[in-house]
Amino acid sequence: QVQLVESGGGLVQPGGSLRLSCAVSGSIFGINAMGWYRQTPENERDLVADIEGSGVTTYADSVKGRFTISRDNAKNTVYLQMNNLKPEDTAIYYCNADLNPSYYSRGDYWGQGTQVTVSS
């Protein structure tokens, strides 16, 4: 059973920083892209950043220069370092992984979500 477990959310003041982590557990053959999405009650779930197995990264325009995505393949973990946080970054952040549970299968998996609130 594949699971994605997120941690690191919380309440932070504007201009502050948080680091999100997402660890993939269970029996897996390999992990392709990993990423972070966020959702508010008013919006759909949107891409924040993702990172390919090759290390190539993609960022939403709204977070470029402030957020950094990275991964530790030995630990099957993806991170999101968030600096200079703004109130509009407030959302539930979801981890996503495109992975192979076995040699013959491939699927899209999601974490349970972690709340990030930016407020003074």
Side-chain angles (χ1 to χ4, degrees):
Q1 184 82 11
V2 176
Q3 285 189 312
L4 276 62
V5 180
E6 299 142 341
S7 60
L11 172 65
V12 64
Q13 292 187 341
S17 298
L18 283 174
R19 188 191 194 208
L20 305 183
S21 300
C22 172
V24 180
S25 64
S27 178
I28 53 176
F29 180 76
I31 302 176
N32 306 303
M34 304 181 78
W36 290 94
Y37 290 71
R38 65 187 181 188
Q39 186 170 19
T40 65
E42 300 79 23
N43 297 317
E44 296 181 347
R45 192 174 296 187
D46 295 323
L47 175 70
V48 176
D50 69 14
I51 182 167
E52 300 289 337
S54 62
V56 173
T57 57
T58 302
Y59 293 93
D61 288 341
S62 60
V63 307
K64 284 180 181 177
R66 300 188 298 122
F67 291 11
T68 302
I69 189 170
S70 61
R71 63 192 282 174
D72 184 334
N73 292 327
K75 296 181 179 180
N76 291 337
T77 300
V78 63
Y79 305 96
L80 185 68
Q81 177 67 43
M82 304 185 292
N83 298 328
N84 190 22
L85 282 159
K86 304 176 180 181
E88 51 264 41
D89 295 317
T90 296
I92 300 175
Y93 284 69
Y94 294 92
C95 175
N96 172 267
D98 169 13
L99 59 86
N100 302 86
S102 71
Y103 180 81
Y104 301 101
S105 63
R106 182 171 181 170
D108 215 27
Y109 292 79
W110 293 90
Q112 78 284 0
T114 184
Q115 177 71 46
V116 171
T117 302
V118 184
S119 175
S120 55

